[in-house]
Amino acid sequence: MAEDLTIIQGSKAEIYQSLIPQIKGLLDGEPDLVANLANVSAALKEQFGWLWVGFYLVKPDSKNSAETELVLGPFQGPVACTRIKKGRGVCGAAWQNSATLIVADVEKFPGHIACSSLSKSEIVVPLIKNGEVIGVLDVDSAELDQFDETDKQYLEEIISQILLQ
Ligand code: SME
């Protein structure tokens, strides 16, 4: 496996089409989820230069082990909130709905959790294994309206590759 990423310029679709085979190479034969989430965060951050790219994983609630909450996992970018309840913020809403959420302007999203005041738009993609959300991929941009159906399609493909390992 080559450890250097080839960074390209081009349309968003061209960039994802160059990146995805490289991500598959990074994931190939590696069963450790945290290692794979760490490398995917790094690859996305390096190629796109987004403000924040990372994962939250569904884990027992620190105060009530009968409940679960999202806990910060591997990421690239500024320090972030560590725990998010179901239904809270964009991440908690994507978890609750088991669906990708695209937010063009985070200030217009009721309950958005501002880990960084620099974040302006966001996409959150749930990791769904055997019908259950086990975590989310969260990507934040310092620009408004940076995410669309192309990001949704390719980021969901990247998540499905992670879940195949
Ligand atoms: N903005 C997210 C919280 C996570 S940070 O952006 C890294 C939300 O509203 O769920």
Side-chain angles (χ1 to χ4, degrees), residues 7-18 47-48:
I7 301 300
I8 70 152
Q9 313 243 313
S11 71
K12 207 181 252 188
E14 285 166 346
I15 292 174
Y16 279 113
Q17 284 158 18
S18 155
Q47 171 66 69
F48 289 100

Side-chain angles (χ1 to χ4, degrees), residues 52 56 70 72 78-81 84 88-93 106 109 111-116 119 122 124 138-140:
W52 198 92
Y56 284 87
L70 289 171
L72 184 62
V79 294
C81 333
I84 298 173
R88 294 281 317 279
V90 188
C91 291
V106 295
F109 186 91
H112 167 254
I113 302 165
C115 290
S116 165
S119 174
E122 184 163 354
V124 178
D138 180 18
V139 183
D140 289 68

Side-chain angles (χ1 to χ4, degrees), residues 27 30-42 55 57 59 72-75 127 162:
L27 299 174
E30 177 50 69
D32 189 88
L33 180 65
V34 169
N36 289 334
L37 300 183
N39 258 343
V40 167
S41 307
F55 292 88
L57 296 171
K59 294 196 172 179
L72 184 62
F75 73 97
L127 279 64
I162 294 171

